[in-house]
Amino acid sequence: QVQLVESGGGLVQAGGSLRLSCAASGRTFSFLAMGWFRQAPGKEREFVAAISRGGGNTHYADSVKGRFTISRDNAKNSVYLQMNSLKPEDTAVFYCAANLRGQLVGQYDYWGQGTQVTVSS
């Protein structure tokens, strides 16, 4: 029983930056590994980034490595995705997700409603 709410999406020009936030409630946040996924129109949902329970380990998709940074603040029950050097192909609905077992690459148990990110050229 975890509720996730994303925020911070919007319209940005290519090369710009956005910071997404995800607020969690309903369960002890520090028990959860957290991830970000995205889904572009007409495409399958894809993995973007994940972070371990304590924040010591992170994992990124090759397409965003070096441009995006995932972080978390367990005191605020929140996870963030800092996105720099954005490209039009980053345009998608971004979803926050939680893994109850603390697994970064396993099946995720809970999902937010998503926030739209649009990058113009």
Side-chain angles (χ1 to χ4, degrees):
Q1 188 179 30
V2 176
Q3 294 80 47
L4 304 172
V5 180
E6 304 96 335
S7 62
L11 175 64
V12 65
Q13 294 181 353
S17 298
L18 285 173
R19 190 191 192 208
L20 305 183
S21 298
C22 174
S25 62
R27 191 174 182 89
T28 303
F29 184 68
S30 61
F31 288 163
L32 308 170
M34 301 296 297
W36 287 96
F37 294 75
R38 67 186 181 187
Q39 186 169 20
K43 297 184 178 180
E44 298 295 321
R45 184 179 62 195
E46 66 175 350
F47 170 80
V48 175
I51 189 166
S52 61
R53 289 167 167 169
N57 293 307
T58 58
H59 181 62
Y60 298 92
D62 289 342
S63 60
V64 306
K65 193 173 183 64
R67 299 189 298 124
F68 292 9
T69 303
I70 189 171
S71 62
R72 68 191 296 161
D73 186 340
N74 287 349
K76 296 181 178 179
N77 293 341
S78 296
V79 63
Y80 309 96
L81 186 68
Q82 178 66 47
M83 306 186 294
N84 299 326
S85 301
L86 283 162
K87 305 174 181 179
E89 50 263 47
D90 293 319
T91 295
V93 177
F94 281 70
Y95 297 92
C96 177
N99 185 300
L100 184 61
R101 292 157 295 282
Q103 301 170 334
L104 272 64
V105 297
Q107 295 295 316
Y108 281 75
D109 303 291
Y110 307 102
W111 298 83
Q113 294 297 308
T115 185
Q116 177 70 49
V117 172
T118 303
V119 185
S120 64
S121 59

